[in-house]
Amino acid sequence: MDRFRNYDIAFVGLKAGKHDFNYEITQAFFDLFETEQEFFKPNINVNVLLDKHTTFLEFIFEVTGTVQLICDISNEEFSENIENDLKVLVKFGEEYDDSNEDVITINRKDSDFNIANLIYETVVLSIPMKKVAPSVKDNDEYQNLLDQYSPKIIEKDEEEQTDPRWEALKKLKDNN
């Protein structure tokens, strides 16, 4: 955890109330995690608002910026704006517990809280699942291919139509 110490927020010396922290996130931050990302060249600003109360801490993360992605259709590199926010409550207990995604419990004796994993998760969750370059979205040829091979939505009328073979089987069942 030593490599993440730049993302420790020491809350013991802070007065009760709101405190702002800003972080500029680049590729060096993601290199700390030693995992592969689906994006590159991140240029991200993370604003962290800490609202310190006597019995708990409230963190609000606001992520904005850009990342480079590879289009799923054309393999073209493009820039994507990202935006996301996350609200987490940190309460004090006997031992660390992050099993609840909205509430994290830390030891009462802790004097700081590391936010690196929360920043990482907030950024990664802001990346779209379907990566389509703007040039592809605006291209009629690609759009026609997408329409052709996309799953079709079944209308209720079509759904209610029954295969005639099933009707014949139902008649046999009703005769017994």
Side-chain angles (χ1 to χ4, degrees):
M1 220 41 191
D2 193 45
R3 63 181 186 244
F4 297 115
R5 76 170 169 254
N6 290 338
Y7 302 96
D8 284 344
I9 294 183
F11 55 83
V12 167
L14 298 175
K15 293 181 181 179
K18 297 183 181 195
H19 306 276
D20 266 326
F21 301 90
N22 286 303
Y23 297 89
E24 294 294 323
I25 304 298
T26 61
Q27 187 60 47
F29 172 79
F30 293 100
D31 292 343
L32 295 173
F33 287 89
E34 300 173 353
T35 59
E36 289 229 9
Q37 288 83 36
E38 296 181 354
F39 57 89
F40 51 98
K41 297 181 188 173
N43 184 12
I44 301 168
N45 182 45
V46 178
N47 182 40
V48 180
L49 175 68
L50 164 61
D51 192 359
K52 182 180 178 187
H53 301 269
T54 53
T55 57
F56 67 94
L57 307 170
E58 180 180 12
F59 287 92
I60 299 174
F61 297 84
E62 294 175 350
V63 172
T64 56
T66 60
V67 294
Q68 294 296 111
L69 299 173
I70 301 292
C71 179
D72 292 338
I73 298 169
S74 67
N75 272 349
E76 173 186 343
E77 182 180 316
F78 68 99
S79 180
E80 177 78 19
N81 291 328
I82 61 168
E83 190 173 315
N84 200 0
D85 57 359
L86 174 71
K87 183 177 179 181
V88 176
L89 293 177
V90 176
K91 65 180 189 173
F92 304 103
E94 295 305 315
E95 60 186 39
Y96 184 84
D97 179 19
D98 64 353
S99 58
N100 183 338
E101 63 188 44
D102 296 327
V103 179
I104 297 174
T105 304
I106 62 173
N107 193 306
R108 295 180 208 284
K109 298 174 185 172
D110 287 349
S111 61
D112 54 25
F113 181 68
N114 188 285
I115 60 170
N117 283 325
L118 294 171
I119 292 173
Y120 180 85
E121 288 175 13
T122 306
V123 170
V124 169
L125 290 173
S126 67
I127 305 299
M129 294 202 50
K130 192 174 192 179
K131 298 160 201 64
V132 181
S135 62
V136 172
K137 288 179 185 174
D138 299 336
N139 187 323
D140 289 337
E141 181 183 334
Y142 281 123
Q143 194 60 47
N144 289 339
L145 285 172
L146 282 174
D147 292 342
Q148 180 181 349
Y149 294 109
S150 292
K152 305 293 185 244
I153 297 174
I154 298 173
E155 297 292 328
K156 284 190 175 186
D157 294 339
E158 293 176 27
E159 198 175 292
E160 291 174 5
Q161 293 177 358
T162 309
D163 187 337
R165 294 173 291 186
W166 289 112
E167 290 298 326
L169 288 172
K170 283 183 183 177
K171 287 179 187 176
L172 287 173
K173 180 181 172 187
D174 291 339
N175 287 338
N176 289 335

